[in-house]
Amino acid sequence: ALLPKASFGPAVALLQMSLLEGRPRESLVKYDAPLELGPAPLESSRKGKQSAKPGSLRAQLAKKVQLPPVESKPSTEDVLHALLPPREWIEENKHFMQYVSSQAATRLDVIQLQESLDQRLMERQARETGICPVREELYSQCFDELIRQVTINCPERGLLLLRVRDEIRMSIAAYQTLYQSSVTFGTRKQLQSEQGKAGDEQMIADHEEQKRQREARVVELKNKYQAIERRESERRAIDERKRKEEIEFLRHQQSHLESFLKSHDAKA
C-alpha cells in the first residue's frame, strides 16, 4: 500500500494550529519532552483564546492531516507527525511544542496503556454507559496512542487506522448534529403546543360555561314544568268537583219535578 499524494509542510501545519494558554492536560498518547521555541507570539495567543476546546470532537475533526508525497520517501517520524500533529501551548509567556514519541511500543507499553486508561476513567469519574464526553475523550486518546504504536511498525497500517478513526468521528459528529436537530425540533413543537394549549384551555372553559348555563336553564324549565303541571292538576280537580256538584243538583231537581208531576196527575 502506498501513501496518498499530498503536500507536506511542517511549518504550514504548525501555523494552522492554534496556541493554547497553559500546559495541556496529560494525554494517553506518548509524547517526547516539550521543546521551547522562544517567546510567545501575541497574535497566536489571542487566537488560542478564541479557539475550540482541543479535546472536543469538533476540534479533532477540524485538524487537517497533511501526508508526505510518495516521491519524497518520508521517514517514519514525518508520517507519524503528519498523522498525529504536535501540541503547542503558551506557558509563562513562552512558546512550547511537543511531538509524539517515535519510540516503538512493547507488550508492556500496551498493558500500561490499558491500566492508565482504566485509572483515568476512574479518576475523572467517566460514565460507564450513555453519552459521556470524558469517556469519549479518553478512548480517543487511547486510539491515537494505538495508531502511534502501529504507525511506527507499519505506516500504511497506521494510515488505515487513521481513516477508520476519522470515519468514526464523522459518524459521531453526524449523530450529534441529528440529535441537536431533533432536540431543536422537539423544543419548537413543544412551544407550538404550549401556544395552542392556551387557546384550547380557553375554548374548554367557554364550553364548560355554556354547559353550566344550559344545565341551569334545564333545571329552570323543569321547575317551571312541574309548577304548571301542579297548577293544572289542581284546576282539573276543582272543575271536576264543580261538575259533580252541578250533576247532583240537577238530579235533585229532576227528582222533585218528577214527584210534583206525579202528584199533579193523581189530583187530576
Side-chain angles (χ1 to χ4, degrees):
L2 298 177
L3 297 176
K5 294 183 179 181
S7 60
F8 177 66
V12 176
L14 296 179
L15 290 176
Q16 293 178 349
M17 296 177 60
S18 59
L19 301 182
L20 302 176
E21 289 289 343
R23 182 182 293 269
R25 187 192 295 268
E26 291 296 329
S27 174
L28 293 176
V29 182
K30 190 174 182 180
Y31 284 89
D32 291 331
L35 303 176
E36 183 179 346
L37 302 182
L42 298 178
E43 296 182 358
S44 298
S45 60
R46 293 173 185 172
K47 183 179 179 181
K49 294 180 181 180
Q50 301 176 356
S51 60
K53 185 178 179 181
S56 63
L57 181 61
R58 188 180 300 275
Q60 294 172 0
L61 291 175
K63 293 181 180 179
K64 295 182 179 180
V65 177
Q66 295 187 350
L67 299 175
V70 180
E71 293 81 0
S72 63
K73 295 183 180 180
S75 63
T76 303
E77 291 185 357
D78 293 337
V79 177
L80 189 61
H81 296 161
L83 295 181
L84 301 173
R87 301 190 300 182
E88 289 187 82
W89 69 89
I90 303 298
E91 186 177 2
E92 297 179 355
N93 294 327
K94 294 181 181 180
H95 184 192
F96 289 92
M97 179 180 295
Q98 191 175 27
Y99 290 93
V100 292
S101 176
S102 58
Q103 182 180 359
T106 61
R107 184 174 180 272
L108 181 60
D109 293 333
V110 178
I111 296 175
Q112 291 178 352
L113 176 62
Q114 181 179 357
E115 294 177 352
S116 299
L117 175 62
D118 295 336
Q119 181 180 359
R120 295 193 182 183
L121 286 172
M122 181 178 60
E123 290 176 354
R124 298 181 61 180
Q125 299 179 354
R127 298 179 182 175
E128 296 182 359
T129 58
I131 299 175
C132 179
V134 175
R135 191 179 75 248
E136 179 185 350
E137 178 184 355
L138 291 177
Y139 273 97
S140 177
Q141 294 177 5
C142 181
F143 198 19
D144 289 344
E145 172 62 16
L146 292 177
I147 291 176
R148 185 195 71 82
Q149 296 177 5
V150 172
T151 303
I152 294 174
N153 297 327
C154 181
E156 291 80 4
R157 193 178 300 163
L159 176 62
L160 185 58
L161 285 177
L162 180 72
R163 291 179 58 187
V164 174
R165 184 199 69 179
D166 292 342
E167 177 63 27
I168 294 174
R169 288 179 178 175
M170 285 190 295
S171 299
I172 294 176
Y175 290 141
Q176 289 179 348
T177 303
L178 180 61
Y179 171 75
Q180 294 173 358
S181 300
S182 62
V183 169
T184 304
F185 177 78
T187 304
R188 185 170 63 251
K189 286 298 182 181
Q190 182 179 2
L191 293 176
Q192 291 178 356
S193 63
E194 290 293 335
Q195 293 175 356
K197 182 179 179 181
D200 294 339
E201 290 178 349
Q202 182 63 34
M203 183 176 63
I204 292 173
D206 295 341
H207 288 173
E208 289 180 349
E209 179 64 21
Q210 292 179 3
K211 177 184 176 183
R212 188 186 62 80
Q213 293 177 358
R214 291 176 180 176
E215 287 178 348
R217 179 63 175 170
V218 168
V219 173
E220 179 184 357
L221 292 177
K222 283 183 178 180
N223 294 334
K224 185 180 293 186
Y225 165 76
Q226 292 175 358
I228 293 174
E229 186 178 10
R230 186 168 55 253
R231 187 171 59 249
E232 290 297 322
S233 62
E234 292 176 356
R235 187 181 61 81
R236 285 196 300 270
I238 294 172
D239 292 343
E240 186 175 357
R241 187 171 62 253
K242 287 180 179 181
R243 283 196 296 272
K244 286 182 179 180
E245 291 176 355
E246 290 178 358
I247 292 172
E248 290 294 331
F249 177 74
L250 292 175
R251 285 179 178 176
H252 180 70
Q253 285 184 346
Q254 181 181 3
S255 62
H256 278 285
L257 289 175
E258 287 179 352
S259 60
F260 175 76
L261 290 175
K262 288 180 180 179
S263 63
H264 183 271
D265 291 341
K267 290 179 180 182

